[in-house]
Amino acid sequence: MRTYVTEELFATGPDRVGLLASVSAAVADAGVNIVAIAGYQKDGQGEFIVLTGDDDAAEAALLRAGFEVARRPVAVVELDETVGALAEVAARAADAGIDIHWVFATSGDGRHAKAVFRCDDAAAFADAVG
């Protein structure tokens, strides 16, 4: 298991059809890879949590495309895709008294999964779950 701290780009804009296409095209047109993304609609706004290969270039591209963008620290855990792996990580965070605000996860090859955690102190989370 590998755990590290990075930044997410939190991009928002008025909700409309094609908003995901606009977000992903802006980042792609800047030559940047999207490593992970989550998005949802809330109170008439589209909100996207984006991890990229180049946050500076992606942020500039999203700003040019008219999105509001904030950077926030997150912890990423790369773990084996096995039964109970996420439960173990969550238990370690709970044992350390860390409140997790949200998580999203994905797997790709059937052997490994990647989970992204937003909490008050991403570094403390990374230390606790190791």
Side-chain angles (χ1 to χ4, degrees):
M1 178 170 61
R2 177 176 171 243
T3 305
Y4 59 93
V5 174
T6 189
E7 286 186 315
E8 69 177 15
L9 299 179
F10 183 72
T12 60
D15 187 39
R16 62 177 169 75
V17 172
L19 195 58
L20 174 59
S22 296
V23 167
S24 56
V27 175
D29 290 348
V32 176
N33 185 42
I34 293 175
V35 176
I37 187 168
Y40 51 90
Q41 186 273 344
K42 180 180 172 186
D43 299 327
Q45 290 287 106
E47 299 185 346
F48 295 89
I49 301 158
V50 187
L51 276 66
T52 74
D54 182 342
D55 289 340
D56 291 334
E59 179 180 24
L62 289 165
L63 289 169
R64 281 193 305 275
F67 293 94
E68 293 182 26
V69 181
R71 290 185 182 211
R72 304 185 301 198
V74 292
V76 178
V77 181
E78 297 174 348
L79 55 150
D80 290 336
E81 189 175 317
T82 58
V83 173
L86 183 59
E88 180 182 337
V89 169
R92 287 182 188 179
D95 290 346
I98 296 171
D99 184 24
I100 298 170
H101 299 289
W102 59 253
V103 60
F104 68 95
T106 186
S107 63
D109 61 8
R111 295 176 306 191
H112 301 96
K114 183 179 286 191
V116 181
F117 295 85
R118 175 82 170 104
C119 46
D120 287 333
D121 188 339
F125 176 95
D127 288 343
V129 303

